[in-house]
Amino acid sequence: MTRHASDDATPWERIILHADMDAFFAAVEQLDNPELRGKPVLVGGAVKRGVVSTASYEARPYGVGSAMPMATALRRCPHAIVVPPRFERYSELSQRIMAVFRTLSPLVEPLSLDEAFLDMTGSQRLLGTPLAMAERLKRDVYQTTGGLTVSVGVATTKYVAKVASDMDKPDGLTLVAPDRVCDFLWPLEIRCLWGVGPKTQQQLIKMGLKTIGDVAKTNESFLLRKLGTIGSQIAALAHGRDLREVEPIRKAKSIGAEVTLADDITGEVPVRNHLRPLAFRIAERLRHKGLAAMGVRVKLKTAEFQIQTRQRSVSPPVDTARYIEEAAVSLLSEFDLSKPMRLVGLAAFDLKRSDERAQMELFPDARAVRQKKLEQTLDAIKDRFGPGVIRIRDDGD
Ligand code: TTP
Ligand code: MG
């Protein structure tokens, strides 16, 4: 355990925990199959063009990790065992883990299947010190899941808790006492400015800033002039100032749309063509409600009224038609598409809020931000001129 603690003389205004499961998908595979324990495991598409979802900690020293092409990963770590993902199992364990979190605090904000913030302010009488709270959480997750480990960061802000949880992985516990925040943050590299996209990070580096301490020592009005409003947000983060609250989702629901076809269709291409407009409708409704989805589900009904559904998790959460469609299309290989179909359905589930304040952390990727802006512009045009103006292209690609 790393402990950036002092004599604890400074009071904790808030107690925020960030918990992130270690090598989540791979750890689940090792939990369910003892033969995989202690071995390098890659979870991901076994097909040639597949990518790695995650790598077990035994595989990571070989320089493999999430989002890497499977072929590259296997070149670097040829003895790794490749396991196809089982999203339903991960989702089931995720729900169990989130339920454990909710026994410790009513204020739990899941960020993805395997991570969440907890606001534990006011729980001292029940659970003891902030350190005791984190130890309790780790123990409860381990016991409830039968052996999964979680890394925890404890601080007075979401930002510092998030960075801290990553410091001592796997099975980590990093506590940053309120008066040690700058000591903790300032030596870290710019890339630890969580929520700041790669492009902005590049700009900071071009300005000659290497560490968070360098940013903290830079004049705030200079950052504002160079980077716009994000400049002052960055300055605040660099000093560990972050007023964002832990925002629990009100109720897990889903948003779906389906179309019953006049004529039955057969094969992948026509199904894809019907998924696209559904993805547009769902994305629009998500954005109107300020939500993003961590799961996507496709439903098909055969001409004989047999219903098949397949679902998967998506990370980071999606609220654009393009990414919903991508996830939906990736599920099609799991269906038997040789039969004629009479209904195509699509749903987004595991919804979380994606309001402006949350956006900074939800969509750090520039490509996703561009896609969202594009689709928001379309929303605005439609709101202004009515839905007839934009015709959704329905012709594949
Ligand atoms: P992460 O928490 O980012 O990674 P991790 O839990 O595997 O490892 P770490 O110990 O570093 O936290 O993501 C959680 C799960 O989400 C991960 O197990 C697999 C999935 N995932 C993908 O499918 N693709 C991705 O690119 C990433 C980053 C994660
Ligand atoms: Mg994780």
Side-chain angles (χ1 to χ4, degrees):
M1 185 197 77
T2 328
R3 195 165 179 217
H4 290 263
S6 61
D7 55 5
D8 280 352
T10 314
W12 287 67
E13 272 178 31
R14 293 188 294 162
I15 303 170
I16 313 268
L17 266 58
H18 178 260
D20 186 324
M21 302 300 294
D22 301 314
F24 184 48
F25 293 4
V28 173
E29 296 305 331
Q30 290 177 323
L31 178 74
D32 288 353
N33 180 359
E35 284 187 10
L36 299 175
R37 293 183 197 162
K39 294 184 184 155
V41 172
L42 303 173
V43 176
V47 284
K48 264 205 179 127
R49 288 180 314 156
V51 293
V52 176
S53 286
T54 194
S56 70
Y57 274 85
E58 293 83 0
R60 294 195 190 189
Y62 296 89
V64 301
S66 295
M68 176 179 284
M70 186 60 81
T72 312
L74 282 172
R75 254 197 318 277
R76 294 190 183 175
C77 185
H79 61 298
I81 304 165
V82 179
V83 182
R86 294 179 299 146
F87 294 108
E88 284 186 14
R89 176 70 176 137
Y90 309 143
S91 176
E92 179 194 329
L93 275 165
S94 167
Q95 283 168 27
R96 291 246 286 277
I97 293 157
M98 297 297 163
V100 170
F101 295 169
R102 289 193 182 94
T103 63
L104 299 173
S105 166
L107 293 176
V108 174
E109 178 182 343
L111 286 183
S112 72
L113 276 187
D114 88 320
E115 64 178 304
F117 285 111
L118 294 86
D119 188 333
M120 308 284 290
T121 316
S123 300
Q124 283 107 317
R125 285 225 346 244
L126 209 60
L127 299 170
T129 62
L131 180 65
M133 293 174 191
E135 286 170 340
R136 167 76 182 270
L137 179 144
K138 286 170 65 71
R139 197 169 57 237
D140 287 359
V141 166
Y142 190 86
Q143 283 172 357
T144 306
T145 58
L148 293 182
T149 60
V150 59
S151 293
V152 181
V154 192
T156 54
T157 59
K158 281 172 105 172
Y159 169 55
V160 177
K162 168 88 182 170
V163 176
S165 73
D166 211 30
M167 284 293 134
D168 189 28
K169 264 182 168 291
D171 202 11
L173 200 179
T174 300
L175 179 142
V176 185
D179 57 347
R180 305 303 298 270
V181 167
C182 292
D183 295 342
F184 169 72
L185 287 178
W186 288 3
L188 302 178
E189 288 172 25
I190 296 282
R191 67 180 168 79
C192 295
L193 275 169
W194 171 61
V196 178
K199 212 172 126 191
T200 309
Q201 290 188 14
Q202 249 1 80
Q203 277 174 290
L204 291 169
I205 290 165
K206 273 204 199 115
M207 287 155 69
L209 309 174
K210 287 196 187 71
T211 64
I212 295 183
D214 293 341
V215 176
K217 285 167 205 144
T218 305
N219 188 313
E220 190 175 328
S221 52
F222 176 75
L223 290 172
L224 192 68
R225 208 167 51 243
K226 283 273 187 188
L227 303 168
T229 47
I230 197 162
S232 44
Q233 281 169 329
I234 290 172
L237 289 183
H239 285 95
R241 288 194 301 266
D242 177 10
L243 296 175
R244 282 173 293 187
E245 281 170 20
V246 174
E247 298 186 44
I249 18 175
R250 272 170 238 115
K251 210 166 158 216
K253 352 170 228 159
S254 67
I255 290 181
E258 56 186 44
V259 53
T260 302
L261 309 166
D263 298 306
D264 294 343
I265 53 172
T266 312
E268 184 175 328
V269 173
V271 173
R272 283 172 76 142
N273 288 347
H274 283 290
L275 284 172
R276 173 167 293 186
L278 297 177
F280 267 88
R281 273 192 0 227
I282 291 166
E284 201 185 344
R285 276 160 65 196
L286 283 170
R287 289 191 298 269
H288 270 283
K289 288 175 185 280
L291 295 169
M294 294 189 278
V296 169
R297 179 164 54 236
V298 173
K299 174 168 104 180
L300 299 178
K301 198 194 274 180
T302 65
E304 279 105 45
F305 288 84
Q306 270 182 318
I307 292 174
Q308 305 176 31
T309 60
R310 295 288 183 275
Q311 66 184 48
R312 57 166 288 187
S313 59
V314 275
S315 176
V318 289
D319 67 350
T320 55
R322 175 163 175 181
Y323 295 121
I324 293 171
E325 184 187 348
E326 264 177 29
V329 166
S330 75
L331 285 167
L332 290 183
S333 61
E334 296 176 28
F335 284 93
D336 173 8
L337 294 172
S338 63
K339 297 193 177 118
M341 301 289 170
R342 67 184 315 270
L343 176 144
V344 178
L346 180 58
F349 63 98
D350 274 351
L351 306 182
K352 74 166 268 118
R353 296 182 49 168
S354 76
D355 56 21
E356 291 303 298
R357 281 167 58 212
Q359 196 175 321
M360 202 169 140
E361 72 230 27
L362 277 175
F363 302 107
D365 158 21
R367 197 173 78 107
V369 171
R370 265 201 313 279
Q371 185 65 26
K372 177 156 176 173
K373 285 206 177 123
L374 170 73
E375 294 193 17
Q376 275 174 329
T377 310
L378 299 180
D379 291 346
I381 295 171
K382 266 210 229 167
D383 284 346
R384 185 137 179 235
F385 300 106
V389 176
I390 295 164
R391 214 175 66 80
I392 296 165
R393 268 165 54 108
D394 191 3
D395 57 359
D397 240 328

Short mmCIF file of all heavy atoms in Angstrom, two decimals, residues 20-21 114 169, ligand 2:
data_model
loop_
_atom_site.label_atom_id
_atom_site.label_comp_id
_atom_site.label_asym_id
_atom_site.label_seq_id
_atom_site.Cartn_x
_atom_site.Cartn_y
_atom_site.Cartn_z
N ASP A 20 -11.29 0.42 -8.76
CA ASP A 20 -11.13 -0.08 -10.15
C ASP A 20 -10.60 -1.51 -10.08
O ASP A 20 -9.51 -1.76 -9.56
CB ASP A 20 -10.17 0.85 -10.90
CG ASP A 20 -10.06 0.49 -12.39
OD1 ASP A 20 -10.12 -0.70 -12.73
OD2 ASP A 20 -9.88 1.41 -13.20
N MET A 21 -11.38 -2.43 -10.62
CA MET A 21 -11.00 -3.84 -10.57
C MET A 21 -9.70 -4.07 -11.35
O MET A 21 -9.45 -3.41 -12.36
CB MET A 21 -12.09 -4.71 -11.19
CG MET A 21 -13.45 -4.58 -10.53
SD MET A 21 -13.46 -5.04 -8.78
CE MET A 21 -13.10 -6.78 -8.91
N ASP A 114 -16.25 -1.91 -14.43
CA ASP A 114 -15.35 -2.33 -13.36
C ASP A 114 -14.84 -1.20 -12.48
O ASP A 114 -13.92 -1.40 -11.72
CB ASP A 114 -14.18 -3.14 -13.94
CG ASP A 114 -13.03 -2.28 -14.36
OD1 ASP A 114 -13.26 -1.19 -14.91
OD2 ASP A 114 -11.88 -2.69 -14.12
N LYS A 169 -1.37 -0.58 -8.55
CA LYS A 169 -2.07 -1.75 -9.09
C LYS A 169 -1.12 -2.92 -9.26
O LYS A 169 0.04 -2.69 -9.57
CB LYS A 169 -2.68 -1.38 -10.46
CG LYS A 169 -4.13 -0.98 -10.34
CD LYS A 169 -4.71 -0.68 -11.69
CE LYS A 169 -6.20 -0.55 -11.64
NZ LYS A 169 -6.95 -1.78 -11.37
MG MG B 2 -9.85 -2.11 -14.14
#
